[in-house]
Amino acid sequence: MDDDESLDDEPLKDWVERRDAKVGRLRAVPVVPGDGPRGAHLHPDAPRIIERWNGHTWEPYAFAVDLVQAKALLYPQAAEPPAPAAAPKPLGSGTGRHRKPSPGPARGDGGHGGA
């Protein structure tokens, strides 16, 4: 290993792929006065600017009137109803390890008391 090469270096190709994977990512920035905290939970009724990462900087993309509308823009898949799940298969016959014993004639006392 060369002296100027470090264990933390990554190939430029890997860095570019990681950076490009983030292009198009959206974020919501609350429009609130001052330099105070901008956490979404602190001002749920405040309007939001939706910004899009273009690979170099965040650029204005959309506007939302509150947190609910911002979340609908940021996470559209959450607003869609879930796909109907397939019905589970009914259990087959058998006496598998975790099955309850079927009600029927007793199988002896098994050494648990009795006459």
Side-chain angles (χ1 to χ4, degrees):
M1 182 183 249
D2 296 327
D3 288 336
D4 59 343
E5 200 173 327
S6 138
L7 292 174
D8 295 335
D9 286 345
E10 67 177 315
L12 183 59
K13 179 180 142 262
D14 294 347
W15 176 82
V16 169
E17 286 175 6
R18 196 177 73 239
R19 184 200 65 192
D20 288 348
K22 296 177 183 179
V23 171
R25 176 180 275 170
L26 299 176
R27 73 175 183 184
V29 180
V31 180
V32 293
D35 292 333
R38 294 182 179 262
H41 64 286
L42 297 177
H43 303 285
D45 295 329
R48 266 108 172 119
I49 299 294
I50 308 299
E51 296 178 332
R52 181 181 175 275
W53 180 250
N54 68 11
H56 301 285
T57 188
W58 290 100
E59 59 189 13
Y61 179 76
F63 180 80
V65 296
D66 60 10
L67 179 60
V68 173
Q69 189 180 29
K71 283 185 174 183
L73 290 168
L74 295 175
Y75 312 109
Q77 66 277 10
E80 297 172 3
K89 290 186 200 176
L91 294 176
S93 62
T95 57
R97 183 172 157 198
H98 297 289
R99 301 275 178 103
K100 290 183 178 179
S102 60
R107 293 190 268 166
D109 69 24
H112 296 292

